[in-house]
Amino acid sequence: QSVLAQPPSASGTPGQRVTISCSGSSSNIGTNFLYWYQLLPGTAPKLLIYRNNQRPSGVPDRFSGSRSGTSASLAISGLRSEDEADYYCATWDDGLRGVVFGGGTKLTVL
Amino acid sequence: QITLKESGPTLVKPTQTLALTCTFSGFSLTSGVGVGWVRQPPGKALEWLGLIFWNDDFRYSPSLKSRLTITKDTSKNQVVLTMTNMVPVDTGTYFCAHTRYTYGFGYFDNWGQGTPVTVSS
């Protein structure tokens, strides 16, 4: 079981706004930066959000991240079919002294 | 343009040692830069393995640190992951990725395409 809890699945229709949650603890999300990655089938992970809410250049502003206490969320607005992918949150855990990933959320665009 | 590519055996036998090489271009392992390793077992979540920075500072997954070694060859622009005593649950796709110390652990902004590794007799 992952240290960071994510819902296994999420879905939305084109144009909709969806959010994916990531729940942790004071030793990880509560203390350290949170990152979000997108995995399209058969491709390498892509960094979507770093330092809780920063977007790398080239990532559309439809993607946004937030953190509150020991939880974080990724919001995708104006949902598109190409957003159908697996999404992972990640951060450093002070207790485990390692990077931890969430279990991943499979986003389906209906 | 930053690129990374993993290479190594696709099939290893149980108890053998795996050695994977990450060859990169578009950056050098100089101040603030590092390379990390992440794997994904079939149908499962991403799992962080470890990373090494320009100054030889390194971090390993606590659950795997007894089996892992990550080294760098700056002159060849390569980072090598060695994992001993391989078992079938180590089967998966192994990725290397570029990271920057100042952006925190967990930050990987450029990734290799990944290389599949199967552990089977």
Side-chain angles (χ1 to χ4, degrees), chain A residues 2-99:
Chain A
S2 302
V3 172
L4 303 180
Q6 294 182 239
S9 63
S11 63
T13 56
Q16 218 175 14
R17 181 177 187 270
V18 297
T19 60
I20 297 171
S21 62
C22 177
S23 179
S25 69
S26 57
S27 66
N28 44 63
I29 295 178
T31 310
N32 299 295
F33 289 129
L34 200 284
Y35 309 86
W36 288 95
Y37 293 91
Q38 177 192 58
L39 264 82
L40 295 166
T43 67
K46 175 184 178 182
L47 178 67
L48 287 179
I49 299 290
Y50 67 98
R51 285 187 167 180
N52 304 327
N53 56 19
Q54 302 298 301
R55 276 188 312 276
S57 60
V59 173
D61 59 7
R62 301 187 297 108
F63 294 89
S64 62
S66 64
R67 183 187 74 169
S68 178
T70 59
S71 294
S73 61
L74 172 72
I76 309 172
S77 60
L79 198 62
R80 298 183 178 184
S81 58
E82 57 259 38
D83 298 333
E84 189 162 286
D86 294 328
Y87 293 84
Y88 290 87
C89 57
T91 186
W92 177 264
D93 188 290
D94 291 337
L96 295 174
R97 299 193 60 76
V99 175

